[in-house]
Amino acid sequence: MTSAPTGGPIAIVADTEPRFAAAVRSAGGEVAPVSEATRGLVWTHPAGEAELEQLLQRHPAISWVQLPWAGVDAFAGLLRRHSGDGRTWTSAKGSYAQPVAEHALMLALAVLRELPRRIRAGEWAHDELGRTLHGARVVIVGGGGITAELLRLLEPFGVHATVVRRTDAAVPGAARTVTTARLLDALAEADVVVVTAALTEETRGLLGREAFVAMPRGAVLVNVARGAIVDTGELVAALGSGRLGGAGLDVTDPEPLPAGHALWTAPNCIVTPHVADTDDMTVPLFAERIAANTRAFLGDGAFVGVVDLEAGY
């Protein structure tokens, strides 16, 4: 349980994007370099948790830390070590839901319509392959903001959506919600599987051999979350055998995906280089999150995107 920060100067570390400082000021906050007076921190440094931890050790009075990404797996060790220090930690979770959900929909449609193969074709080769998303059985692994936005986008397609998440609390727009313990049962009825979950110790490798065997032959997979949630070796095998009907991947494991990796030429597979949310899309959205949390830091409203330190996201 964290105590509410009481305000004070806010430092923005390692980013020259003027809209972030403007967001703090628009919400009534004061932007200043890191000092003994600093109480709030907006961390946009490309470096990992070691540098952030060193800064926090030098400035223990910082009571609120805003992290830059929707996923916080890059800071997992730091968050575990500081889980009882009384700080409020916020991430960008939910901020980028719209562009990422849009990308997921695009990948699903492209794979169902066999676009990877058709785009690479060098001659007119007519066939009757390709499926529609209308009325499809869609399983979404994860229950956060991307899922909520994707369900809204899927509504015109009349899909039957199942959400798999930690709890079975109902999700608006989904026909049913089941816990992760029933993942294989849900996958057994899927035409399309979309991964939107956070990467935690519980979700790492969640979709492996058992998951691909459970899916109906020809089902397709879309991953816009983290590559390590899917076992890459088993994914390559499932695509190669034809058991999996295709894959649309914005994230991979490893990442970046090396040149010559089997996924680049796997049947009916699209790989986009983690661009579901580009800077042009995310900078204004992250600025909105900074402004909202600056107001909360100053006592006006509640923080958005608070990290659940026990769950790891």
Side-chain angles (χ1 to χ4, degrees), residues 96-209:
Y96 314 140
Q98 289 183 340
V100 176
E102 177 185 320
H103 200 82
L105 177 60
M106 179 274 294
L107 289 174
L109 289 169
V111 172
L112 286 169
R113 293 305 182 109
E114 303 269 336
L115 285 192
R117 177 176 57 85
R118 297 193 189 284
I119 288 171
R120 294 167 186 153
E123 61 182 8
W124 189 280
H126 178 77
D127 60 54
E128 296 297 331
L129 298 176
R131 289 172 284 168
T132 181
L133 184 59
H134 282 274
R137 300 168 299 175
V138 177
V139 172
I140 306 175
V141 182
I146 298 170
T147 293
E149 181 63 21
L150 181 57
L151 287 168
R152 189 186 68 80
L153 294 178
L154 289 172
E155 187 175 354
F157 293 90
V159 304
H160 183 281
T162 297
V163 170
V164 181
R165 59 186 300 197
R166 291 176 66 216
T167 69
D168 61 2
V171 176
R176 63 172 179 158
T177 305
V178 301
T179 65
T180 309
R182 295 184 58 194
L183 172 65
L184 298 182
D185 292 338
L187 293 178
E189 301 176 4
D191 298 309
V192 179
V193 178
V194 183
V195 183
T196 68
L199 177 61
T200 66
E201 289 308 307
E202 288 69 31
T203 62
R204 186 177 298 274
L206 183 65
L207 274 73
R209 185 175 184 278

Side-chain angles (χ1 to χ4, degrees), residues 138-312:
V138 177
V139 172
I140 306 175
V141 182
I146 298 170
T147 293
E149 181 63 21
L150 181 57
L151 287 168
R152 189 186 68 80
L153 294 178
L154 289 172
E155 187 175 354
F157 293 90
V159 304
H160 183 281
T162 297
V163 170
V164 181
R165 59 186 300 197
R166 291 176 66 216
T167 69
D168 61 2
V171 176
R176 63 172 179 158
T177 305
V178 301
T179 65
T180 309
R182 295 184 58 194
L183 172 65
L184 298 182
D185 292 338
L187 293 178
E189 301 176 4
D191 298 309
V192 179
V193 178
V194 183
V195 183
T196 68
L199 177 61
T200 66
E201 289 308 307
E202 288 69 31
T203 62
R204 186 177 298 274
L206 183 65
L207 274 73
R209 185 175 184 278
E210 284 189 337
F212 292 124
V213 169
M215 295 179 199
R217 190 172 185 86
V220 304
L221 174 73
V222 171
N223 189 0
V224 291
R226 289 290 187 268
I229 297 174
V230 177
D231 185 312
T232 300
E234 295 296 341
L235 171 59
V236 170
L239 286 167
S241 69
R243 165 163 284 282
L244 195 64
L249 312 170
D250 189 53
V251 290
T252 60
D253 182 27
E255 189 174 305
L257 191 66
H261 193 282
L263 281 175
W264 289 118
T265 54
N268 203 26
C269 182
I270 296 176
V271 178
T272 57
H274 209 146
V275 290
D277 46 359
T278 64
D279 285 350
D280 282 347
M281 304 173 200
T282 60
V283 166
L285 295 172
F286 189 49
E288 290 178 12
R289 174 60 53 89
I290 291 171
N293 282 338
T294 296
R295 288 190 289 271
F297 177 65
L298 298 174
D300 180 13
F303 283 98
V304 185
V306 176
V307 177
D308 183 331
L309 298 178
E310 291 187 7

Side-chain angles (χ1 to χ4, degrees), residues 17-97:
E17 170 54 60
R19 281 173 285 187
F20 296 159
V24 171
R25 296 188 181 102
S26 72
E30 172 194 355
V31 180
V34 179
S35 70
E36 294 306 312
T38 302
R39 294 296 180 268
L41 179 67
V42 178
W43 182 261
T44 61
H45 201 293
E49 62 181 18
E51 290 77 4
L52 175 54
E53 186 157 31
Q54 290 170 10
L55 187 149
L56 293 176
Q57 288 171 349
R58 294 193 301 269
H59 301 281
I62 292 173
S63 57
W64 161 53
V65 180
Q66 172 68 59
L67 298 173
W69 304 308
V72 296
D73 43 286
F75 304 97
L78 170 65
L79 294 172
R80 283 195 300 271
R81 291 188 292 274
H82 289 258
S83 61
D85 67 5
R87 287 189 176 95
T88 294
W89 299 80
T90 55
S91 73
K93 62 181 176 181
S95 290
Y96 314 140

